[in-house]
Amino acid sequence: QVHLVESGGGFVQAGGSLRLSCAASGGTGTAFAMGWFRQAPGKEREFVAAITWSGNRQYYSDSVRGRFTISRDKDKNSVYLQMNSLKPEDTADYYCAARVGLGVPEPMDPDYWGQGTQVTVSS
């Protein structure tokens, strides 16, 4: 069982940056890919970015590619999402996710979810 806790959400003006963090615990002896999803009110949760167990491969949705960067610190069981050039349409609750295994399937189909952290981007 993997427990995920997000942090770093907040308020930012369009064009600004935020860095989200996710700390994983309880995954000792288990390899897992990690990623980020987001959900705006009234909309379905959508994939944002993911990274493999080793951290050597990253995946992004078309809407964030070139603006967001996912990274991983496996030794500290942490994953990060650096969000630059933020747009109002990036406003959502952002969820950290983990999937048991080395790689990232499509769709990712996570096994574990964090509680979410809110990101609000104003015009």
Side-chain angles (χ1 to χ4, degrees):
Q1 188 77 13
V2 178
H3 181 60
L4 306 172
V5 179
E6 304 96 330
S7 62
F11 298 86
V12 64
Q13 292 193 6
S17 299
L18 283 175
R19 182 177 173 87
L20 305 183
S21 299
C22 175
S25 61
T28 302
T30 302
F32 51 92
M34 299 185 71
W36 292 92
F37 290 71
R38 66 187 182 186
Q39 186 171 23
K43 297 184 179 180
E44 292 190 350
R45 191 170 299 184
E46 66 174 350
F47 172 80
V48 176
I51 189 167
T52 57
W53 170 245
S54 68
N56 64 1
R57 185 71 186 270
Q58 305 88 46
Y59 304 87
Y60 300 95
S61 68
D62 291 340
S63 63
V64 307
R65 187 176 294 108
R67 299 187 298 121
F68 292 9
T69 302
I70 189 170
S71 60
R72 182 171 193 157
D73 184 348
K74 180 178 177 295
D75 291 340
K76 299 184 73 70
N77 294 302
S78 298
V79 66
Y80 310 93
L81 186 68
Q82 178 65 48
M83 305 184 294
N84 298 328
S85 302
L86 283 162
K87 305 174 181 179
E89 50 262 47
D90 294 318
T91 295
D93 289 334
Y94 283 71
Y95 296 87
C96 182
R99 179 181 170 85
V100 175
L102 299 178
V104 179
E106 188 176 354
M108 184 180 180
D109 190 22
D111 298 303
Y112 305 99
W113 295 93
Q115 84 289 347
T117 185
Q118 187 175 29
V119 172
T120 301
V121 183
S122 61
S123 300

